[in-house]
Amino acid sequence: MLQLTCPWCGPRDETEFRHGGQAHVARPADPAALDDEAWAAYLFFRDNPAGPFAERWVHSLGCRRWFHAVRDTVTYAVLATYRPDQPRPDVAAAPRPDGETR
């Protein structure tokens, strides 16, 4: 089971959390000026990297606060968690089972 560390409550099992998608997605400055293609890009298109990826999570069965996590999408290892008001930490990819890193 995946373990996440809530910045306020500490380490917990993933069953206490809900995933909220990609973190650090910039909201449109002038939403009224966007055409349909720009709205579709903002609403539906997200990065899908193999390796470290910043995600939003909410501690739904705990403090109910949102936070960010950097998770390696290849190994599923959680590399860091941090509050939304903090900058994304610089983390290296977790080692893969074959000993390689990305």
Side-chain angles (χ1 to χ4, degrees):
M1 176 177 294
L2 188 65
Q3 285 258 319
L4 291 166
T5 301
C6 173
W8 294 275
C9 302
R12 302 287 193 273
D13 290 335
E14 73 175 303
T15 57
E16 292 191 19
F17 301 93
R18 296 293 174 259
H19 185 262
Q22 181 176 349
H24 309 290
V25 176
R27 305 220 185 309
D30 185 9
L34 298 181
D35 61 8
D36 289 344
E37 186 175 337
W39 263 117
Y42 168 68
L43 292 174
F44 302 112
F45 294 103
R46 297 290 181 253
D47 296 335
N48 188 19
F53 184 59
E55 304 170 327
R56 297 181 50 178
W57 289 83
V58 63
H59 193 178
S60 56
L61 297 180
C63 64
R64 303 181 66 88
R65 293 182 181 181
W66 285 91
F67 64 94
H68 295 164
V70 178
R71 184 178 60 85
D72 190 306
T73 60
V74 176
T75 64
Y76 296 102
V78 177
L79 306 174
T81 58
Y82 54 103
R83 296 186 325 256
D85 62 337
Q86 296 175 317
R88 177 182 170 166
D90 185 22
V91 296
R96 296 188 326 217
D98 60 6
E100 294 292 319
T101 57
R102 293 200 174 249

